Amino acid sequence: MHRHCYISSPFALPGSPALGGNHLDLSAKYDNFVIILVDTIVGKEALEIKKLLLQGFNSFKQLKHVHARLLRLGLEQDNYLLNMVLKSSFNSGDRNYSRLIFYQTREPNIYIWNTMIRGLVSIDCFVESIEFYDLMRRAGLLPNNFTFPFLLKACARLSDFQLGLKLHTLVVKAGFDCDVFVKTPLVCLYAKCGYLENAHKVFDDIPDKNVVSWTAIISGYIDAGKFREAVDMFSRLLEMELKPDSFTLVRVLSACSHLGDLNSGEWINRYVVDIGMGRNVFVGTSLIDMYAKCGNMERARSVFDRMPEKDIVSWSVMIQGYASNGLPKEALELFYRMQRENVKPDCYTIVGVLSSCARLGALELGDWATTLIDKNQFFTNPVLGTALIDMYAKCGKMTSAWRVFKGIKERDLVVWNAVISGLSMNGHVKAAFSLFGQVKKLGIQPDGNTFIGLLCGCSHAGLVDEGRRYFDSMNCVFSLTPTIEHYGCMVDLLGRAGLLDEAHQLIKNMPMEANAIVWGALLGGCRVYRDTQLAEHVLERLIELEPWNSGNYVLLSNIYSANRKWDDAAKIRSSMSERGIQKTPGCSWIEVDGIVHEFRVGEKSHPLSDKICRKLSELSKEMKAAGYVPTTEYVLFDIEEEEKEHFLGCHSEKLAIAFGLISIASNNVIRIVKNLRVCGDCHMAIKLISKITGREIIVRDTNRFHCFIDGSCSCRDYW
């Protein structure tokens, strides 16, 4: 209905002559009455439409219905109402409908242009938003202080520095260079494009800085990897007596996480509690993540337990924190609790669970965890796929790991590295080399982790020449500078091969100071080849680096014991006692029916302890009948041979294997994970047990996989 329509009637008004001289006056009055009546009706409709637009819509259909009412009332060119409809259309998620509304507007004002640009930026259509800005300029309109923030955000997200620079010029010309809402996105633009100094200059020029401005410069420092500067800027923000919002706190806590700065994280935690933000789920989750990455899982758990509301991200961060800090049992216990509380896991939760299963060798539990999310995610999400490959590889099920690898649609370098490392640790070194050849053919640039996998494979298989070649090619062929981890792999390779002098010389020639891992690799070689003199020198360096590590003392004491230098071994034990150093107890894990059982050396607390002891006794008799003689040199103490045999029989891996033999069906593999290196006696004993029982036994210790089948080991005794 058109607003100015006229209604004529063949009938005269009551009390007037049919064709009198006053007919025209009466007709005009009647027309004015009709116009006023129509305007009143339209005005009421417009108010009702405005009310509906302010309330929002539950569906796209409702929005279209209101838009149709505008068209029926002839209000389709009312810029105010049309602007409200346009805003609502972006909330509906139909970008094409928003464009249709805009293009049907004959004379869009600056507000409608701004709404269109803002809406496109809000749904990440940054290129289109800039295209509309160009159209706006061609239409003869200049941007205002509402236009600039969204355009600058689009430039920052697209890293379009040149357009951003032009917009900065316009900002100054238009007189908005002191507007905090315009200058703040300029800070983001310069920081995002790598011009941090310019970003800081723009920030310093803002006369009235608000929390958003401070957050912008803090985020700029974080994105540039300058985490210490970000924390310092946060301190300055507090000095200005401004109250940060949750986003600011999340960002600065991420800086503490990257720095591993527990002290700064703790005072930020205290501040969060003081201002009453401790109940915020986003801040709480960031605190958990910070504590986990700083290695303080007790504080992380304390924050987690105090959170009144936990979302799936909170659970995932906590589970992954346990997994990454070497606490797989705690990670799985929390996962079970999460299941009891009916919280549905996401892909990040499953990554933490699979990582824990990999560490414990819990293959059945890992398989069950994969059923909790869509199987296709393992082939479309590289992070999930990599975690599953790693889990299967560390459980000794390389065929399953390979099947997952083949199914992943888009393989990034991390996926390739995972399968190369898996093949290496499972003894398929030649296959790992072949896969590395495919990486090169595909034109994928390998990284340091690729070479760690290759060098570990060389070390496990005793391929010294190949290891040297890969190590040298890092710099010469791939322009990669070897890190201390690569030197550690080479020292381990040379030490295992008995090339102790060469390994020692490599350490001396390293461009960086050797750490405990590098010296520990050489000490391991000294133990195998009983080079007591070099071992003493190495131990002196290790004690300087980590004086409270019991493993260093125990390893040297074992060397003395093996050479029957009991007095020297006693001195080492005495030194440990004086310093209050406790030997790390041997611990082994085995999974049976989805439950992980833990065994410690000499422990008898397991419910089936009596049966386990009887099984070990039976095995001992059968092994001795087969010619087995316990290698008592691996026992630390100078005691009688009979007692030494008893100590060897109580090693945690033997207890776990005995439990596996009485609990796991004969056609299934027995999988053991140990926290320390398997001793030589246990290695020989397990070979014989596998032959006597006809069982396949897989043991993963701190150094390698051992797959025992019919009296032989995959490591070929090269360890």
Side-chain angles (χ1 to χ4, degrees):
M1 181 187 295
H2 197 279
R3 285 184 60 194
H4 299 292
C5 62
Y6 291 90
I7 303 174
S8 59
S9 172
F11 303 102
L13 291 173
S16 64
L19 293 171
N22 293 329
H23 174 72
L24 292 176
D25 292 337
L26 289 170
S27 177
K29 287 179 180 179
Y30 183 78
D31 287 344
N32 288 333
F33 169 76
V34 171
I35 291 168
I36 292 168
L37 180 63
V38 171
D39 281 343
T40 302
I41 293 170
V42 170
K44 287 182 178 179
E45 286 275 5
L47 284 172
E48 187 180 343
I49 290 170
K50 181 181 176 182
K51 184 179 178 181
L52 287 169
L53 287 166
L54 289 171
Q55 287 175 348
F57 304 101
N58 295 325
S59 67
F60 183 47
K61 187 177 179 180
Q62 285 183 338
L63 172 65
K64 291 174 75 174
H65 177 69
V66 169
H67 189 200
R69 287 175 68 180
L70 279 180
L71 294 171
R72 285 198 303 272
L73 292 168
L75 298 173
E76 73 274 9
Q77 297 304 319
D78 186 315
N79 278 343
Y80 177 76
L81 291 175
L82 205 60
N83 193 32
M84 295 180 74
V85 172
L86 187 59
K87 283 180 182 177
S88 298
S89 70
F90 277 107
N91 295 332
S92 72
D94 192 329
R95 179 178 54 177
N96 292 327
Y97 194 75
S98 303
R99 292 170 71 101
L100 183 66
I101 294 170
F102 180 85
Y103 283 125
Q104 286 180 347
T105 309
R106 294 195 195 102
E107 295 181 3
N109 58 19
I110 187 65
Y111 303 107
I112 289 180
W113 282 102
N114 283 346
T115 299
M116 195 67 196
I117 291 168
R118 176 183 182 174
L120 289 167
V121 170
S122 70
I123 57 174
D124 295 344
C125 296
F126 306 114
V127 174
E128 283 188 65
S129 67
I130 290 172
E131 289 172 356
F132 267 87
Y133 166 68
D134 290 336
L135 290 172
M136 185 185 87
R137 293 302 305 273
R138 288 176 198 167
L141 291 172
L142 288 172
N144 63 15
N145 57 329
F146 291 100
T147 321
F148 284 119
F150 300 105
L151 285 173
L152 289 167
K153 180 180 179 179
C155 292
R157 295 293 294 272
L158 295 171
S159 296
D160 190 343
F161 182 65
Q162 293 305 316
L163 177 59
L165 212 54
K166 291 175 183 176
L167 288 173
H168 192 177
T169 305
L170 270 178
V171 166
V172 176
K173 287 182 178 178
F176 298 124
D177 53 322
C178 290
D179 190 318
V180 65
F181 299 105
V182 176
K183 295 296 282 290
T184 297
L186 270 171
V187 173
C188 296
L189 170 72
Y190 281 113
K192 180 73 168 55
C193 294
Y195 298 93
L196 201 53
E197 284 188 26
N198 300 71
H200 209 121
K201 286 178 182 176
V202 174
F203 174 77
D204 288 338
D205 288 340
I206 299 175
D208 297 314
K209 301 175 184 68
N210 58 19
V211 169
V212 181
S213 313
W214 282 94
T215 305
I217 194 66
I218 289 169
S219 297
Y221 277 117
I222 291 171
D223 294 338
K226 297 188 175 183
F227 306 112
R228 176 55 59 197
E229 289 84 345
V231 175
D232 292 341
M233 288 299 290
F234 179 75
S235 298
R236 285 181 55 192
L237 179 155
L238 299 184
E239 289 170 6
M240 300 298 293
E241 297 185 354
L242 290 170
K243 184 179 178 180
D245 59 16
S246 60
F247 182 74
T248 316
L249 291 166
V250 167
R251 291 298 277 158
V252 74
L253 285 168
S254 75
C256 295
S257 299
H258 280 96
L259 289 169
D261 185 355
L262 186 59
N263 290 332
S264 295
E266 285 179 331
W267 72 254
I268 292 172
N269 188 1
R270 290 192 293 272
Y271 174 76
V272 164
V273 174
D274 288 344
I275 63 172
M277 290 282 280
R279 299 175 67 85
N280 185 289
V281 67
F282 303 109
V283 176
T285 303
S286 297
L287 281 167
I288 294 169
D289 183 61
M290 181 274 296
Y291 280 124
K293 286 177 178 172
C294 291
N296 193 330
M297 289 309 299
E298 288 184 12
R299 292 297 299 273
R301 185 58 183 262
S302 175
V303 173
F304 179 81
D305 288 339
R306 287 200 309 269
M307 288 175 68
E309 178 188 350
K310 303 175 183 71
D311 60 13
I312 183 56
V313 181
S314 312
W315 287 94
S316 296
V317 168
M318 194 68 208
I319 288 169
Q320 288 206 50
Y322 275 133
S324 60
N325 280 281
L327 299 167
K329 287 181 65 181
E330 289 81 353
L332 294 179
E333 284 169 6
L334 192 65
F335 176 63
Y336 293 140
R337 176 182 154 191
M338 178 180 154
Q339 291 284 294
R340 289 194 298 271
E341 295 189 18
N342 295 319
V343 180
K344 187 178 179 181
D346 64 4
C347 62
Y348 300 103
T349 316
I350 299 300
V351 167
V353 171
L354 291 176
S355 176
S356 300
C357 291
R359 192 174 180 93
L360 293 171
L363 178 62
E364 291 178 41
L365 181 56
D367 272 334
W368 172 74
T370 63
T371 65
L372 300 177
I373 60 173
D374 183 2
K375 284 276 186 184
N376 290 325
Q377 288 194 54
F378 291 100
F379 303 114
T380 57
N381 185 329
V383 177
L384 260 179
T386 302
L388 189 55
I389 290 170
D390 184 61
M391 191 274 291
Y392 280 134
K394 287 180 177 174
C395 289
K397 205 170 181 182
M398 201 58 218
T399 52
S400 297
W402 181 256
R403 189 166 58 248
V404 175
F405 171 74
K406 296 295 286 184
I408 293 176
K409 294 176 173 58
E410 293 184 12
R411 301 175 194 138
D412 59 15
L413 181 59
V414 180
V415 175
W416 285 92
N417 287 347
V419 78
I420 287 172
S421 295
L423 288 167
S424 294
M425 74 172 68
N426 279 276
H428 307 294
V429 183
K430 296 296 183 182
F433 294 167
S434 176
L435 214 58
F436 178 62
Q438 289 187 44
V439 169
K440 291 190 290 184
K441 283 181 183 177
L442 290 170
I444 300 172
Q445 172 71 12
D447 63 5
N449 289 328
T450 317
F451 283 96
I452 287 175
L454 293 169
L455 291 172
C456 285
C458 293
S459 178
H460 291 173
L463 303 174
V464 177
D465 291 337
E466 288 84 348
R468 289 190 184 115
R469 188 171 67 251
Y470 281 124
F471 183 77
D472 293 338
S473 70
M474 285 185 66
N475 189 23
C476 300
V477 180
F478 299 100
S479 302
L480 293 171
T481 303
T483 65
I484 196 163
E485 287 81 8
H486 299 104
Y487 280 99
C489 289
M490 281 303 297
V491 170
D492 185 57
L493 169 62
L494 296 170
R496 288 176 188 273
L499 303 171
L500 300 179
D501 290 337
E502 185 180 345
H504 192 197
Q505 192 61 44
L506 181 64
I507 293 176
K508 290 178 181 177
N509 296 335
M510 281 170 54
M512 72 284 289
E513 284 292 321
N515 62 11
I517 295 172
V518 175
W519 285 111
L522 181 57
L523 188 60
C526 294
R527 176 194 177 280
V528 173
Y529 293 97
R530 301 184 180 180
D531 191 332
T532 310
Q533 186 175 356
L534 181 57
E536 287 182 87
H537 167 71
V538 173
L539 185 63
E540 288 174 5
R541 301 306 306 272
L542 279 168
I543 290 173
E544 289 176 13
L545 292 168
E546 41 179 29
W548 301 109
N549 186 341
S550 65
N552 302 327
Y553 299 90
V554 171
L555 196 50
L556 183 61
S557 184
N558 281 341
I559 292 172
Y560 286 140
S561 297
N563 289 306
R564 298 184 176 276
K565 295 183 177 181
W566 306 117
D567 291 341
D568 292 330
K571 288 177 184 176
I572 293 292
R573 295 199 305 275
S574 176
S575 176
M576 290 175 67
S577 179
E578 289 171 6
R579 294 170 180 256
I581 301 169
Q582 297 293 321
K583 180 181 180 293
T584 303
C587 185
S588 296
W589 296 274
I590 180 172
E591 181 190 33
V592 176
D593 296 330
I595 299 172
V596 178
H597 297 259
E598 180 178 285
F599 291 91
R600 293 182 178 272
V601 59
E603 188 176 60
K604 294 187 177 181
S605 60
H606 194 277
L608 297 180
S609 184
D610 290 340
K611 288 185 178 181
I612 291 168
C613 288
R614 284 198 296 272
K615 188 65 179 177
L616 280 174
S617 180
E618 291 173 18
L619 288 170
S620 178
K621 290 176 183 177
E622 292 183 66
M623 287 160 63
K624 284 184 178 180
Y628 165 71
V629 178
T631 312
T632 55
E633 67 184 50
Y634 294 103
V635 179
L636 179 64
F637 308 112
D638 179 19
I639 54 181
E640 294 299 324
E641 293 295 313
E642 187 177 339
E643 290 182 81
K644 289 183 181 181
E645 290 184 25
H646 172 73
F647 276 107
L648 288 170
C650 296
H651 279 190
S652 63
E653 58 268 51
K654 288 179 180 172
L655 294 171
I657 288 170
F659 174 66
L661 288 170
I662 62 177
S663 306
I664 297 174
S666 59
N667 58 333
N668 290 340
V669 178
I670 295 173
R671 291 182 170 84
I672 310 292
V673 176
K674 186 176 182 184
N675 66 332
L676 303 175
R677 186 182 297 192
V678 174
C679 76
D681 177 76
C682 285
H683 188 269
M684 288 185 287
I686 299 169
K687 281 172 61 178
L688 202 51
I689 290 171
S690 75
K691 186 173 183 178
I692 292 169
T693 61
R695 302 291 293 268
E696 181 181 351
I697 303 170
I698 294 176
V699 180
R700 191 180 89 234
D701 64 9
T702 54
N703 267 3
R704 67 177 58 250
F705 263 96
H706 306 274
C707 183
F708 300 91
I709 303 175
D710 195 28
S712 64
C713 180
S714 59
C715 72
R716 303 190 306 277
D717 297 342
Y718 179 82
W719 64 293

